[in-house]
Amino acid sequence: MTLVSGWGRFPVVDTEMLRPRAFASVADAIVSGTVARGNGRAYGDAAIGTVTTLTMTGFDRIRWFDPATGRIRLEAGVLLSDLIETFGPRGFLPFVLPGTRFVSVGGAIAADVHGKNHHCEGGFGRYVDSILLRTGEGELIEASREQNSDAFFATIGGMGLTGVILEATLRLRKVETGWIRERVISASDLDAAMRALDAGDAATYSVAWIDCAARGKDLGRSLIYLGEHAGKDELPAGAAAFPAGKHPGLGVPIDLPSMTLNRFSIRVFNELYYRMGARRAGGSHVVSLYPYFFPLDSIADWNRIYGKRGFLQHQCVIPENGARDVVGEILGRVARRGDASFLAVLKKLGEGEGILSFPLPGYTLALDFPVRGDILNFLDEIDRLVVAAGGRLYLAKDARQSRETLEAGYPALPRFNAIRKALDPAGNIRSKLSQRLFDEV
């Protein structure tokens, strides 16, 4: 048995780690209490089996690619970073780029990851044409919108609970360059930030960084980043059409002391970050896709900043009607606590693709908290605000929500459970997350 955690490093639990080498051996490795794991970037306990965990990163081959259509068939362990670095110079990128490029294709499907373009282009699952799935019974099925459609839509956003994703066929986006034309908007408070996001609905990419330490009249002050793919004629002189991918540089070699993130340090960081960003507001700039989409990927092991006890990310989505009041209340409570994330994000979302996909039309707010003190009770209070507003929490980021919160936020849960039961009558596919939230006690 091995002690394993998600990216948030909480909780840390026992599981037996297995690394199958062939698709046939995946069926043999499935026992009661198995789940697949990609690159371990789910924040909580979603990719940890109750008994065994199948590490899928060894399945990293590309089967075929059609440059005429941008369609690609590949194994589930291929990382988005592999796709970007291999096909970006050829003029193709994934349609959806989440906050890290170090996520596997299988994980991106299971979480139906979203990026800065969900408000207008949807999530990762929208660009999946078919999935090769090994069910809990050991059956091998090809699922698509036309064939085994229940299994297809349950697998997109299903957190790996319908079976082990082995391969997928995706569609890639044709691009001229690997650069983004970025426009920065400085918003003095939450109302101005939400107005800027609404006004940016026509932009392909939009996201707001929020100063969580700001209070009073400055509550919710933000930097909004709008973006479009840049053409070759927009690049700086001498710039290559596709920038070189940089591996994480200076990292965090040790678990930092818990006192590192305190009310003073967070306030100072947020003040400096806001002032530096505000200087760039007004005009447009051409920036590499790497800092635009993946700002934290440049810091290796950045999750160690929160100390050895780890951290919790709370990501909720609030329906558009009434979102201003709820988001403002959450930010107000966070500011009064003083231990919020140095990187808080507000975005707009559209409709989800899968039965359990997280997005719904509205605003999503993502906040990080170190695991200490009464944080679990505090987040329970935030959950109640979210549920009362008709919202829900993102399962790929969750490590502690209650069954009641899940059931209130995901009305399609009974349909998902029925499909899961049909695919896996014996209940072999089970994760620590499903044990906590889905499975019969």
Side-chain angles (χ1 to χ4, degrees):
M1 303 294 284
T2 304
L3 289 174
V4 180
S5 70
W7 186 247
R9 305 177 73 203
F10 176 90
V12 180
V13 294
D14 278 326
T15 186
E16 183 182 3
M17 299 294 292
L18 302 177
R19 187 180 292 273
R21 299 297 182 182
F23 284 174
S25 62
V26 171
D28 297 332
I30 295 175
V31 298
S32 180
T34 298
V35 80
R37 181 182 180 92
N39 204 34
R41 287 302 179 114
Y43 279 51
D45 51 5
I48 306 172
T50 59
V51 177
T52 63
T53 301
L54 307 185
T55 300
M56 301 297 291
T57 50
F59 297 105
D60 59 356
R61 292 171 294 184
I62 294 170
R63 297 297 191 181
W64 52 259
F65 173 66
D66 182 358
T69 62
R71 294 178 77 238
I72 185 170
R73 181 75 170 191
L74 69 178
E75 295 178 343
V78 173
L79 301 184
L80 294 192
S81 58
D82 300 329
L83 283 180
I84 293 167
E85 292 171 17
T86 302
F87 291 94
R90 303 181 187 184
F92 292 91
L93 288 173
F95 269 93
V96 174
L97 296 170
T100 175
R101 66 190 190 273
F102 300 122
V103 61
S104 69
V105 167
I109 294 171
D112 193 16
V113 297
H114 54 273
K116 298 174 176 64
N117 57 335
H118 197 281
H119 64 287
C120 62
E121 294 187 326
F124 198 87
R126 180 174 294 185
Y127 305 97
V128 177
D129 286 344
S130 64
I131 299 166
L132 182 64
L133 187 72
R134 181 76 72 178
T135 72
E137 293 283 275
E139 182 183 2
L140 195 63
I141 65 172
E142 186 81 14
S144 67
R145 289 170 177 79
E146 297 78 29
Q147 178 184 7
N148 296 312
S149 60
D150 277 353
F152 180 79
F153 287 109
T155 299
I156 294 174
M159 303 312 298
L161 298 178
T162 59
V164 179
I165 300 171
L166 300 177
E167 289 185 358
T169 303
L170 315 177
R171 281 164 281 146
L172 301 181
R173 180 200 302 272
K174 182 68 175 173
V175 295
E176 275 193 36
T177 76
W179 299 79
I180 299 295
R181 183 174 68 256
E182 175 190 73
R183 184 161 65 95
V184 182
I185 301 170
S186 174
S188 60
D189 57 25
L190 181 60
D191 289 322
M194 296 181 83
R195 285 196 300 269
L197 285 173
D198 289 342
D201 276 347
T204 302
Y205 301 107
S206 68
V207 65
W209 167 86
I210 299 181
D211 178 358
C212 286
R215 300 172 64 173
K217 65 179 179 60
D218 296 327
L219 180 72
R221 70 174 180 177
S222 305
L223 298 169
I224 293 86
Y225 299 91
L226 306 180
E228 303 290 345
H229 289 280
K232 291 181 179 178
D233 59 346
E234 300 176 80
L235 302 188
F242 201 87
K246 295 182 179 179
H247 292 285
L250 183 64
V252 183
I254 61 172
D255 299 329
L256 296 186
S258 59
M259 68 181 69
T260 304
L261 291 180
N262 54 56
R263 185 182 297 268
F264 176 75
S265 66
I266 291 174
R267 185 175 295 278
V268 169
F269 174 85
N270 279 268
E271 182 69 30
L272 292 174
Y273 192 91
Y274 180 78
R275 289 181 180 274
M276 290 174 62
R279 292 195 190 105
R280 301 176 59 229
S284 63
H285 319 268
V286 176
V287 298
S288 163
L289 68 88
Y290 293 103
Y292 185 81
F293 291 110
F294 318 117
L296 288 177
D297 277 356
S298 61
I299 307 172
D301 300 321
W302 65 263
N303 53 350
R304 303 186 76 172
I305 292 172
Y306 289 93
K308 65 180 180 180
R309 296 181 65 183
F311 72 100
L312 297 160
Q313 181 165 116
H314 187 280
Q315 183 168 4
C316 64
V317 58
I318 308 294
E320 193 159 3
N321 185 27
R324 163 60 183 85
D325 290 342
V326 178
V327 172
E329 177 65 22
I330 293 173
L331 290 175
R333 296 190 185 196
V334 168
R336 290 191 291 273
R337 279 185 65 88
D339 62 354
S341 169
F342 61 88
L343 188 67
V345 172
L346 182 69
K347 291 187 293 192
K348 294 188 73 173
L349 299 179
E351 292 284 356
E353 188 75 7
I355 297 170
L356 281 195
S357 290
F358 164 70
L360 54 80
Y363 292 85
T364 179
L365 177 66
L367 303 164
D368 294 345
F369 301 90
V371 178
R372 63 188 179 201
D374 65 342
I375 188 60
L376 295 176
N377 292 332
F378 176 75
L379 292 180
D380 286 342
E381 295 173 7
I382 300 302
D383 289 354
R384 287 191 281 273
L385 295 175
V386 173
V387 168
R392 58 193 180 211
L393 305 187
Y394 191 15
L395 290 169
K397 304 293 181 68
D398 177 57
R400 35 65 50 194
Q401 73 171 296
S402 68
R403 291 187 181 225
E404 292 74 19
T405 298
L406 174 77
E407 291 167 0
Y410 288 85
L413 186 60
R415 181 187 171 200
F416 174 83
N417 285 337
I419 297 170
R420 182 185 173 204
K421 181 70 173 178
L423 292 169
D424 181 19
N428 287 326
I429 304 296
R430 289 185 290 123
S431 65
K432 291 292 185 180
L433 180 142
S434 76
Q435 185 180 56
R436 176 166 56 88
L437 295 178
F438 291 78
D439 302 337
E440 295 181 5
V441 179

